[in-house]
Amino acid sequence: MLTTVHRTAARIATACIASFWIATVGVELAGSADAVARVKHAIVMPGLLLLIPAIAATGASGFALARARGGALVAAKKRRMPWIAANGLLVLVPCALLLDRWAAASLLDARFVAVQAVELVAGAVNLALMALNLRDGRRLVRQRADAHPVS
């Protein structure tokens, strides 16, 4: 059950960040100022309401699962998780809130672009770290299956 919660929450968190990133790039390339404002608002509401609990559930379930396991893969995942959480809470969430406010006020100036660039880089970093955790999680599942073959 805990494994299912972990896997599901991680997939939701990854899908949220990826969709926020793709929507941001897409609307900047082909959208109007009104479309930018709508995307930025959707990222905040309901996006963050889905993302934040998903990241928290991923971290909590991951640490609970790791209690019973050891090794280099578990250690690597444990080292990445605080960076993912800190990047999300200290960079991505404040950027999202600020960009939503500025877009709603049609303040799409150089400051907006600079903060959005920071947001895109931070989002890409989180996606990369989450992809590494996904890869290592799959390796852990394979190791467990190899250690306990079904007869």
Side-chain angles (χ1 to χ4, degrees), residues 32-93:
S32 64
D34 186 51
V36 169
R38 284 194 311 272
V39 165
K40 290 300 167 189
H41 188 68
I43 288 171
V44 170
M45 195 67 76
L48 293 181
L49 293 179
L50 183 60
L51 174 62
I52 292 170
I55 285 183
T58 301
S61 59
F63 278 109
L65 287 167
R67 273 190 236 140
R69 306 271 318 249
L73 292 174
V74 171
K77 287 177 65 107
K78 281 183 173 181
R79 278 191 308 272
R80 285 185 208 112
M81 200 58 212
W83 291 103
I84 293 168
N87 190 21
L89 291 174
L90 300 176
V91 179
L92 291 173
V93 169

Side-chain angles (χ1 to χ4, degrees), residues 8 26 31 40 52 57 62 65 78 81 90 96 98 101-102 106 120 125 132 137 145 149-150:
T8 302
K40 290 300 167 189
I52 292 170
L65 287 167
K78 281 183 173 181
M81 200 58 212
L90 300 176
L98 193 56
R101 183 176 304 144
W102 286 347
S106 297
L120 288 170
V125 167
L132 291 171
V150 177

Side-chain angles (χ1 to χ4, degrees), residues 3 15 17 36 42 54 68 79 92 99 101 104 111 119 126 136 138 148:
T3 302
I17 293 174
V36 169
R79 278 191 308 272
L92 291 173
L99 292 170
R101 183 176 304 144
R111 217 173 31 156
E119 180 188 49
N126 260 17
D136 289 347
R138 287 183 174 168
H148 305 289

